Amino acid sequence: MSSVAIGKKGFGATLWDYLTTVDHKKLGNMYFFAGLLFFAIAGFEALLMRIQLMVPNNDFVSAGLFNELLTMHGTTMLFLAATPLLFGFMNAVVPLQIGARDVAFPFLNSLGFWLFFLGAVFLHLSFFMGGAPNAGWTSYASLSLYSPGHGIDFYVLGLQISGAGTLISGINFIVTIITMRAPGMTFMRMPLFTWTTLLSSALILFAFPPLTVGLFFMLVDRMFGANFFDHTMGGNTIIWEHLFWIFGHPEVYILVLPAFGLFSEIIPVFARKRLFGYSSMVFATILIGFLGFMVWAHHMFTTGLGPTANAIFAVATMAIGVPTGMKVFNWILTIWGGSVKVTVPMIYALGFIPSFVAGGVTGVMQATAPLDYQLHDSYFIVAHFHYVIVGGIVTAIFGATHFYWPIMFNRVLNEKLGFVVFWVFFIGFHLTFFIQHFLGLMGMPRRVFTYQADQGWDLYNFISSIGAIMMGIGVLLLVLNMLLSIKGKPVNQRDYWGDGRSLEWAIKTPVPFYNFKQTPLVRGYDPYWIEKHEGNKEGMTYAEPLGDIHMPNGSILPLIMSIGLFIAAFGALYHPDDVSWSVPVIIIGLGITVGCMILRSFKDDLGFHVHKEEIIAIEEDLYGKGGNK
């Protein structure tokens, strides 16, 4: 095994390794790069929209294409870019933080990735197969039921497959964090990123089923003429909005909680100070998760729910600002009096705090139902949620990319170029979206593809589009930085930043495939910090002697199972049009998936053992005798 684990392999062998891997670190990298790809696609769609809106009466893209771009931009950014990028960090970091050798269900980890990826690819094929979905990313039933062509079918089937992958991953992380923590790692010693991953996964468990049900209703409405949402046939259009937002609002927290967790890791390292108010941070995280399910109808103040419902949801929405505010004060107080080192990850954290607060403040404004009647479906809303999503989630992803790059790839991103990217992106972001608050107050509605010249919106839209182009340049420079890091020299050390506090910094890079040669013993919060201060050169105290390690085998079955659903989706797509071949395609696709499940159930896959001698050989090969090479 040792030679396999260490030796350089050819392209074919490496490709096979990635197609069959169940290693959380490799899957983390795959999530990260898949998320980056869709982030780039969605960003490109946004740029096309901003070019169209740059000047009045523009005809750069048609109204129909604009609707497709708008729908795919929102859908891709939330489901297929932000989610997998954060899952990338969860996979790469959480098992290391809790002292585990992998996640609880490595096979399911791989299945979750392939379902997400093939669902995302399926959705994007719509551009080449008769038109993308065009009813907005929320796909309100009143629009989507009557949308001609197959765009909405791509949306429903693609999200159904992708969402199944997300749900599987969420369950996996819950079980991993509850059952696989190292000895001594009590819940109140877990790093905050692990806490936010746990809460985010719990939210996935409760938020995705309503979406699944809504998508299923939409599917049978369109495929078989059921009438769940057709109000002329006794259905109810508003039910789609409820099902969508019961998922859609917790989804915001599913994304923003891990972002909070990442900043809670970054800030103490560069403030060189313990996180202020740890237990209140944990409590606030739980409270946000809990309240996140009680605010969905604030997206629906104008649908006529009546004053009682509006009042209840307005109060709940204001209440959720309280735990979020607690977090902001804790971050500020962590920085306060710290010996702050301004690095690229830290400057993202410093930029995040005011940007996210601005998004939160406009959110509280919209929680006031009478004001929301004025602001609803205007550009003010667009500005608000982009301040939360870009100012909160995207800055976290960019900051964490710099922060965890040494652990994930054993390389470093260039600091100077990192600062350039930050300023170009950050200034571009505020130029784009700050001004949109005023466009909204001046009456510009969302989702319009053009506007007349005499409404006073021209300059503001022009500035907004310039900002969007700057953000695009920033992202290109970040990708350039990643490519340049390949040529950089390997880090080959533990604790690259010098002030690491949690267990992931205690491992030398490159991280071996089994993570820890011996399970660590956790003796308090910030375990690595404790060991360093006691002069422990190893970086951790071990809970066991060196012995054999049991690891899971790779498998190609997750990929084949996902391909089965991918094939079945094409049958479902063309079902009412051509029954002669669509039903056999559905049966073949589902047959492949179910066949793999049966095969898996009959095969006792017991994994393999890495023996003590092999571990010593691997460690010597990776780090040399007496330290790193």
Side-chain angles (χ1 to χ4, degrees):
M1 176 63 215
S2 54
S3 59
V4 178
I6 300 160
K8 286 198 163 60
K9 294 180 285 203
F11 176 74
T14 306
L15 180 66
W16 178 253
D17 188 27
Y18 273 91
L19 293 178
T20 59
T21 188
V22 295
D23 180 354
H24 71 94
K25 296 178 289 298
K26 285 181 179 155
L27 285 164
N29 296 349
M30 287 154 73
Y31 265 119
F32 182 83
F33 287 117
L36 195 65
L37 169 69
F38 291 116
F39 184 81
I41 292 170
F44 181 64
E45 290 158 354
L47 269 178
L48 293 178
M49 287 192 289
R50 279 313 327 165
I51 293 169
Q52 165 64 20
L53 291 169
M54 204 162 181
V55 291
N57 298 315
N58 202 352
D59 57 359
F60 178 70
V61 298
S62 67
L65 178 59
F66 188 88
N67 280 347
E68 291 180 15
L69 291 172
L70 177 97
T71 304
M72 288 298 284
H73 165 72
T75 307
T76 307
M77 275 298 184
L78 280 153
F79 290 99
L80 315 176
T83 308
L85 283 164
L86 289 165
F87 268 130
F89 290 119
M90 290 178 190
N91 264 300
V93 177
V94 168
L96 302 180
Q97 285 196 332
I98 62 173
R101 295 216 163 91
D102 209 313
V103 293
F105 307 116
F107 182 90
L108 285 186
N109 204 10
S110 172
L111 179 62
F113 171 78
W114 289 114
L115 284 170
F116 141 71
F117 186 70
L118 288 171
V121 169
F122 181 83
L123 181 57
H124 278 80
L125 288 175
S126 60
F127 276 116
F128 310 103
M129 296 178 68
N134 56 3
W137 84 276
T138 55
S139 206
Y140 278 7
S142 44
L143 292 170
S144 51
L145 281 186
Y146 306 108
S147 171
H150 287 294
I152 301 297
D153 304 322
F154 273 106
Y155 175 94
V156 170
L157 293 159
L159 288 190
Q160 206 66 303
I161 295 170
S162 205
T166 307
L167 190 58
I168 286 171
S169 301
I171 294 167
N172 204 345
F173 278 115
I174 293 172
V175 178
T176 303
I177 293 167
I178 290 175
T179 64
M180 296 187 67
R181 287 163 290 138
M185 169 124 351
T186 59
F187 275 110
M188 293 312 280
R189 286 177 180 175
M190 290 195 322
L192 256 166
F193 183 54
T194 301
W195 259 114
T196 53
T197 299
L198 177 62
L199 263 296
S200 178
S201 302
L203 292 181
I204 286 169
L205 193 58
F206 290 106
F208 268 79
L211 177 71
T212 307
V213 169
L215 289 170
F216 179 74
F217 285 174
M218 179 78 76
L219 185 70
V220 291
D221 267 16
R222 283 181 64 94
M223 269 176 73
F224 305 114
N227 293 308
F228 288 108
F229 302 128
D230 187 347
H231 66 98
T232 61
M233 301 294 288
N236 186 340
T237 314
I238 298 294
I239 294 296
W240 167 266
E241 294 193 31
H242 279 294
L243 287 169
F244 185 87
W245 287 118
I246 289 170
F247 149 79
H249 203 85
E251 166 71 4
V252 176
Y253 297 107
I254 287 167
L255 297 174
V256 89
L257 285 178
F260 287 171
L262 288 167
F263 282 126
S264 300
E265 300 299 320
I266 291 170
I267 291 170
V269 168
F270 298 112
R272 303 183 212 180
K273 192 173 152 214
R274 184 188 155 133
L275 183 71
F276 184 90
Y278 170 81
S279 49
S280 67
M281 286 292 250
V282 171
F283 178 67
T285 307
I286 296 168
L287 204 54
I288 289 170
F290 181 70
L291 289 172
F293 281 97
M294 303 188 179
V295 296
W296 81 86
H298 68 207
H299 296 266
M300 300 165 60
F301 280 152
T302 57
T303 53
L305 297 173
T308 310
N310 281 5
I312 290 167
F313 282 102
V315 170
T317 307
M318 292 175 192
I320 206 165
V322 177
T324 317
M326 282 163 63
K327 283 180 167 292
V328 172
F329 283 113
N330 280 348
W331 288 317
I332 291 169
L333 289 165
T334 306
I335 296 166
W336 191 276
S339 159
V340 178
K341 187 159 73 177
V342 180
T343 56
V344 176
M346 190 60 175
I347 201 167
Y348 275 106
L350 296 171
F352 150 78
I353 294 174
S355 308
F356 185 78
V357 167
V361 168
T362 53
V364 174
M365 288 168 69
Q366 285 155 55
T368 317
L371 179 60
D372 187 69
Y373 271 74
Q374 299 300 316
L375 301 175
H376 190 75
D377 269 346
S378 75
Y379 255 78
F380 192 91
I381 305 288
V382 181
H384 153 70
F385 69 72
H386 280 90
Y387 259 81
V388 172
I389 289 166
V390 185
I393 298 157
V394 177
T395 50
I397 288 166
F398 286 5
T401 300
H402 281 267
F403 189 55
Y404 282 123
W405 203 258
I407 288 180
M408 290 168 77
F409 302 104
N410 197 27
R411 296 284 187 283
V412 228
L413 293 174
N414 183 302
E415 284 276 293
K416 285 194 178 114
L417 186 52
F419 280 113
V420 172
V421 170
F422 170 79
W423 286 113
V424 171
F425 185 84
F426 194 70
I427 293 167
F429 156 62
H430 285 287
L431 268 184
T432 307
F433 297 111
F434 185 70
I435 212 139
Q436 288 181 7
H437 292 105
F438 300 102
L439 276 170
L441 294 171
M442 290 157 77
M444 182 168 173
R446 291 164 71 169
R447 309 188 185 99
V448 288
F449 86 106
T450 188
Y451 53 94
Q452 298 300 317
D454 52 359
Q455 292 173 282
W457 304 342
D458 309 13
L459 178 65
Y460 288 39
N461 271 302
F462 186 81
I463 293 170
S464 190
S465 295
I466 295 293
I469 292 164
M470 284 179 72
M471 287 168 79
I473 293 167
V475 174
L476 286 174
L477 289 173
L478 180 63
V479 172
L480 175 70
N481 202 347
M482 292 174 184
L483 294 171
L484 290 175
S485 78
I486 298 168
K487 294 278 182 220
K489 74 175 197 303
V491 174
N492 287 353
Q493 68 180 78
R494 61 164 66 98
D495 194 14
Y496 172 76
W497 298 105
D499 294 292
R501 307 183 76 86
S502 41
L503 271 177
E504 74 267 34
W505 300 106
I507 310 174
K508 286 179 185 166
T509 56
V511 181
F513 67 92
Y514 47 77
N515 297 353
F516 299 91
K517 63 178 186 208
Q518 291 154 271
T519 304
L521 177 70
V522 176
R523 298 192 296 150
Y525 178 63
D526 285 347
Y528 180 43
W529 188 258
I530 292 169
E531 301 297 339
K532 275 196 292 195
H533 274 256
E534 294 190 2
N536 182 348
K537 289 276 186 287
E538 279 281 293
M540 54 184 117
T541 303
Y542 296 116
E544 59 178 12
L546 186 61
D548 293 356
I549 295 174
H550 178 255
M551 294 300 289
N553 284 322
S555 175
I556 193 71
L557 287 180
L559 176 56
I560 299 172
M561 285 163 78
S562 306
I563 289 171
L565 289 179
F566 185 76
I567 292 167
F570 276 104
L573 192 69
Y574 292 106
H575 176 262
D577 304 355
D578 198 340
V579 180
S580 62
W581 65 267
S582 67
V583 175
V585 169
I586 295 175
I587 293 168
I588 290 165
L590 292 177
I592 292 170
T593 302
V594 174
C596 286
M597 290 161 82
I598 294 168
L599 181 68
R600 169 84 180 160
S601 68
F602 279 118
K603 189 174 149 211
D604 278 341
D605 185 357
L606 300 172
F608 63 91
H609 281 90
V610 192
H611 299 295
K612 198 153 80 172
E613 302 72 37
E614 290 178 304
I615 295 168
I616 294 165
I618 291 167
E619 296 267 325
E620 274 190 11
D621 192 88
L622 283 178
Y623 312 125
K625 285 185 177 153
N628 281 315
K629 286 188 200 168

